[in-house]
Amino acid sequence: MDVTRDSSQRPDNLPKALPPALPERSASGASPLVKAAAVKTAKSIGPADGGPVTTPLAVVPGPAVGAADLRDPLEKAASETAEIPEATPVGAPAAATSRRPPRADQALREYGASFLPGWIALLVVLVGVAGVLLMMLRDGVIPYWDVLPDLRSAAAQASGRAEADAGSIAAVSATSLLAVFALAGLLANAGGETRVLTRWGRYRGTVRRTGLVWVNPLLRRRRVDVRLRHWRSELVKVVDRTGTPIVVRLLIVWRVKDTARALMAIEDHESYLREQVQAVLTRTASTLPCDSNAAPGPALRDGQWFADELTRALAAEVAPAGLEVYSAQPLALDYAPEVAESMRRRRLADLDAGLRTVLVDDAVEAAALAVRRLERATTHELDEAARSALMEQLLVAFVAPAGVAASVPPPAARAGRKEGRPA
């Protein structure tokens, strides 16, 4: 089926007659959705003057018009056709897509790990040590002191030596293992630091609570600094929009937001941040010139745009690595040493030219105002020659440097010079 720009033409698979309650719409009264779909379909097919023709689009048949569906059939067909992607001519280059930041693993997210308060583990350790000592005293393993109460069993008192059976050995061993297990799980977490727990390479949670806590001693604990940090970069050499090399020094304020991604989604998040700063700075600096003296317009030195754009782009790049960037501000922005002197001379020349233009414009306005005030004061209107001569003398007086006497030839001499006669 060929689709043209005529929005009144209907697909073959639609009913020939509309329900009486829904009158047919004309091309001029068609809804915006129908017009947009018709224009989009016509563009996808190609021009009607012999241009390249693409594969016609197939209209997906929709459901039959029922009593509950009050939409116009043409609108339904247009909406279904608009959802079909446009066909690409054979041999045509693919459409360029914008580069997107890398995507992080959605399953890898930080969550809290299971832990116990540290005082519970300390209490278990103390109770275990006391139990072991008590059982060793009871079995006579520890020598008896006369100053201490006699806690030995009847068999140890009768024999005068240690009487340790299998049950006592098992109890002492179990209590000692429990005390060692409780002691090995103690963890002192300082402020601004977290512990990422892993077991056999699998993420098991993050401990953000400060102080003494107890975690499973079979888990591996890795420290991650989550404090607010700042990094001052070295001078980075990039080029602006005009191709002029410039050097920029940045101050980055950042922190680790997701410890699981910062530790497991990337090898070294600090190196990743430094490399992304270099890439983002190169891309952002190439969008505008460093200065806008010659051509009016935005520049890298103007306002806060440069810092805001750096912050936005850098935050999007490092977010998949679990990092959060608060600000990226340029501390130094200047031309590279090899072009600094020439650009300084050019900037001074542009400033001097602009200043001269302003001075000349002001002098012309002042001279014209002086001539008009003179005519009003004398109530005598000067002719064109006298007015031009007076304007020239005033301009010379206003623009000429101090101490330089400039003479203006009379109008008759200027007229003779133009005609080729000697003045």
Side-chain angles (χ1 to χ4, degrees):
M1 181 192 68
D2 295 333
V3 182
T4 62
R5 293 182 181 269
D6 187 5
S7 61
S8 63
Q9 184 175 354
R10 299 177 175 276
D12 296 337
N13 60 344
L14 295 178
K16 301 298 182 180
L18 296 178
L22 299 175
E24 184 177 0
R25 300 184 183 182
S26 61
S28 60
S31 62
L33 179 60
V34 177
K35 294 180 179 181
V39 173
K40 182 176 181 180
T41 307
K43 288 183 178 180
S44 63
I45 293 178
D49 55 354
V53 180
T54 61
T55 305
L57 296 178
V59 179
V60 179
V65 179
D69 193 356
L70 301 180
R71 292 188 302 168
D72 190 274
L74 188 57
E75 291 183 9
K76 293 171 58 180
S79 63
E80 294 171 355
T81 307
E83 295 177 357
I84 302 176
E86 299 182 1
T88 304
V90 178
T97 58
S98 59
R99 191 196 60 81
R100 297 179 180 178
R103 293 184 179 181
D105 186 7
Q106 298 299 325
L108 183 60
R109 290 182 178 273
E110 177 185 332
Y111 60 86
S114 301
F115 62 90
L116 295 176
W119 63 268
I120 297 180
L122 288 178
L123 182 61
V124 171
V125 170
L126 294 178
V127 172
V129 171
V132 170
L133 293 177
L134 180 61
M135 285 183 287
M136 294 177 69
L137 285 173
R138 183 176 178 275
D139 294 337
V141 176
I142 299 178
Y144 170 70
W145 292 357
D146 296 337
V147 295
L148 297 177
D150 193 0
L151 301 177
R152 293 178 298 173
S153 61
Q157 292 178 2
S159 62
R161 56 186 179 83
E163 295 290 340
D165 54 359
S168 300
I169 295 176
V172 170
S173 301
T175 306
S176 302
L177 289 178
L178 180 62
V180 171
F181 186 80
L183 185 62
L186 286 176
L187 172 65
N189 208 12
E193 295 181 355
T194 61
R195 292 296 192 279
V196 178
L197 306 182
T198 57
R199 181 168 58 190
W200 300 318
R202 186 176 179 181
Y203 177 65
R204 289 299 183 181
T206 301
V207 179
R208 285 184 174 265
R209 180 174 176 177
T210 59
L212 189 63
V213 296
W214 183 88
V215 297
N216 187 351
L218 300 180
L219 299 177
R220 182 184 178 185
R221 292 164 269 185
R222 303 172 68 177
R223 185 181 66 87
V224 178
D225 190 353
V226 295
R227 292 174 294 184
L228 193 65
R229 304 163 68 180
H230 67 278
W231 173 60
R232 182 172 181 173
S233 69
E234 300 294 333
L235 286 175
V236 182
K237 186 175 181 180
V238 294
V239 295
D240 62 356
R241 185 175 183 178
T242 61
T244 306
I246 59 176
V247 288
V248 186
R249 173 175 288 154
L250 298 178
L251 177 65
I252 314 297
V253 180
W254 63 285
R255 73 178 180 94
V256 176
K257 183 179 181 180
D258 193 313
T259 56
R261 292 184 176 181
L263 197 61
M264 307 187 69
I266 197 169
E267 182 178 1
D268 186 359
H269 60 273
E270 294 186 4
S271 300
Y272 180 78
L273 175 64
R274 288 192 292 267
E275 297 298 332
Q276 289 299 329
V277 167
Q278 174 78 24
V280 169
L281 178 59
T282 303
R283 185 171 68 252
T284 307
S286 62
T287 58
L288 291 177
C290 183
D291 288 311
S292 59
N293 294 329
L300 297 179
R301 296 183 190 269
D302 299 339
Q304 190 65 20
W305 178 88
F306 191 32
D308 294 342
E309 186 66 17
L310 282 175
T311 304
R312 183 198 62 79
L314 186 59
E317 293 292 339
V318 300
L323 307 182
E324 184 176 9
V325 175
Y326 289 95
S327 65
Q329 305 177 19
L331 296 180
L333 176 60
D334 203 352
Y335 291 100
E338 58 268 20
V339 298
E341 183 62 25
S342 59
M343 296 305 297
R344 186 185 67 85
R345 291 196 300 267
R346 177 182 176 183
R347 185 163 57 247
L348 292 178
D350 293 339
L351 293 175
D352 186 59
L355 180 60
R356 288 179 180 274
T357 302
V358 171
L359 290 177
V360 170
D361 292 343
D362 293 344
V364 170
E365 294 180 2
L369 180 60
V371 171
R372 287 196 299 269
R373 294 184 64 180
L374 179 62
E375 290 179 346
R376 286 198 302 267
T378 58
T379 64
H380 177 69
E381 185 176 357
L382 301 176
D383 56 359
E384 292 297 332
R387 184 180 291 107
S388 299
L390 183 57
M391 285 283 294
E392 291 181 1
Q393 292 177 1
L394 291 175
L395 286 176
V396 171
F398 290 157
V399 178
V404 177
S407 60
V408 179
R414 293 199 302 274
R417 187 182 299 112
K418 289 181 181 179
E419 296 175 358
R421 295 181 286 103

